[in-house]
Amino acid sequence: MILKCAIVDDEPLAVELLASYVNKIPFMQLAGKYYSATEAMKDIAGGSVDVIFLDIQMPEINGLELSKMVPETTRIVFTTAFDQYALDGFRSNALDYLLKPISYVDFLAACNKALQWFSLVRHQGDAEKSEETKSIFVKSEYKLIQIRLDSINYVEGLKDYVKIYTDESSKPVVSLMNMKAMEEMLPSSRFIRVHRSFIVQKSKIREIERNRIIFGDVYIPIGDSYRQAFQDFIQR
């Protein structure tokens, strides 16, 4: 699936930065760059793009106002330097809200979220296709690596990095990303966070012993703050 996107921001440097990010992501296609909301309206009002990366503070028409003029099928990711707009942004049914300066990791997480959303919408009702995206892309050692969701056993967080353990390799995929961003990339219907440092795939859980999930020689603890949600999952 290829998602067409547009960037709307009155700061040329911000536009070029996000454009460079888009060019690194295989499933994103840049359909237009605009330096004002009025300039963008004529092209995006008809629903020609899937995702708009939209600044909020702009002259004449601001991003919040423009977001109300686009079709419901177009998803908005707000990009702004001011966190006081976050509540208004989510009230506008934004897909995500990125605070400047925007890192590539956060941008990639937002794009994966968009991919998952469109996959769910476009595949809804089609029994032959998955209702979720089948894979995610993560940056590792200056490369983008595609990882199939059904191959993931668990994810371990280490400060600013995550290690993704899969069936396909004895070595984990290491990516510069925090656990919050990783958790948002993974569909909650298939994955559950059981500790501040661990996310596991529900279907891969085989053994539980003394509040620990066993993956071979690895014992994953179930944190106190995640225990109730995990117990609810087990009971279901």
Side-chain angles (χ1 to χ4, degrees), residues 57-108:
Q57 277 202 334
M58 292 185 291
E60 298 179 349
I61 300 175
N62 65 41
L64 290 172
E65 292 169 333
L66 178 61
S67 69
K68 299 174 183 177
M69 303 177 188
V70 301
E72 292 183 359
T73 53
T74 300
R75 307 306 296 166
I76 301 293
V77 175
F78 283 114
T79 59
T80 180
F82 304 95
D83 58 6
Q84 67 263 32
Y85 293 114
L87 182 59
D88 290 334
F90 285 115
R91 282 175 176 168
S92 300
N93 199 27
L95 185 67
D96 210 341
Y97 187 99
L98 301 180
L99 195 62
K100 296 178 180 179
I102 300 169
S103 71
Y104 177 71
V105 171
D106 289 340
F107 187 84
L108 178 60

Side-chain angles (χ1 to χ4, degrees), residues 10-236:
D10 62 340
E11 299 178 15
L13 290 178
V15 171
E16 294 307 317
L17 176 65
L18 296 190
S20 70
Y21 288 170
V22 171
N23 291 333
K24 295 178 182 178
I25 302 175
F27 58 84
M28 300 296 292
Q29 178 182 334
L30 186 59
K33 300 185 292 185
Y34 306 94
Y35 301 96
S36 72
T38 52
E39 180 186 352
M41 282 178 59
K42 61 181 182 295
D43 289 337
I44 65 179
S48 58
V49 297
D50 300 306
V51 183
I52 303 174
F53 297 97
L54 180 58
D55 187 23
I56 292 181
Q57 277 202 334
M58 292 185 291
E60 298 179 349
I61 300 175
N62 65 41
L64 290 172
E65 292 169 333
L66 178 61
S67 69
K68 299 174 183 177
M69 303 177 188
V70 301
E72 292 183 359
T73 53
T74 300
R75 307 306 296 166
I76 301 293
V77 175
F78 283 114
T79 59
T80 180
F82 304 95
D83 58 6
Q84 67 263 32
Y85 293 114
L87 182 59
D88 290 334
F90 285 115
R91 282 175 176 168
S92 300
N93 199 27
L95 185 67
D96 210 341
Y97 187 99
L98 301 180
L99 195 62
K100 296 178 180 179
I102 300 169
S103 71
Y104 177 71
V105 171
D106 289 340
F107 187 84
L108 178 60
C111 291
N112 271 295
K113 188 182 294 186
L115 180 64
Q116 181 179 340
W117 189 90
F118 280 98
S119 295
L120 288 170
V121 170
R122 294 179 183 181
H123 298 164
Q124 188 175 10
D126 188 350
E128 296 180 356
K129 297 180 181 178
S130 171
E131 291 183 353
E132 298 169 342
T133 183
K134 294 181 181 296
S135 61
I136 58 174
F137 285 86
V138 297
K139 188 177 182 182
S140 181
E141 297 180 352
Y142 307 102
K143 298 181 292 184
L144 273 179
I145 298 178
Q146 186 179 31
I147 302 176
R148 291 188 302 106
L149 290 183
D150 58 10
S151 74
I152 298 174
N153 292 320
Y154 63 93
V155 179
E156 180 182 8
L158 299 169
K159 293 185 178 179
D160 296 326
Y161 290 83
V162 296
K163 289 184 175 181
I164 305 171
Y165 293 84
T166 71
D167 292 332
E168 298 175 336
S169 174
S170 59
K171 295 182 179 180
V173 176
V174 180
S175 179
L176 180 61
M177 182 188 307
N178 59 43
M179 284 292 280
K180 181 178 182 297
M182 187 74 238
E183 186 176 15
E184 290 178 350
M185 289 172 62
L186 299 172
S188 60
S189 60
R190 297 179 63 171
F191 293 85
I192 184 169
R193 191 165 182 176
V194 298
H195 188 273
R196 65 180 182 178
S197 300
F198 289 97
I199 300 171
V200 301
Q201 178 148 204
K202 298 174 183 178
S203 63
K204 299 296 182 75
I205 298 173
R206 296 289 182 267
E207 297 180 67
I208 304 169
E209 178 186 276
R210 298 179 182 177
N211 290 318
R212 296 180 301 177
I213 301 169
I214 304 173
F215 280 94
D217 296 330
V218 177
Y219 288 75
I220 295 176
I222 301 170
D224 292 339
S225 57
Y226 301 93
R227 189 163 298 158
Q228 186 59 54
F230 184 76
Q231 288 176 350
D232 292 343
F233 156 67
I234 293 298
Q235 290 173 0
R236 289 196 300 270

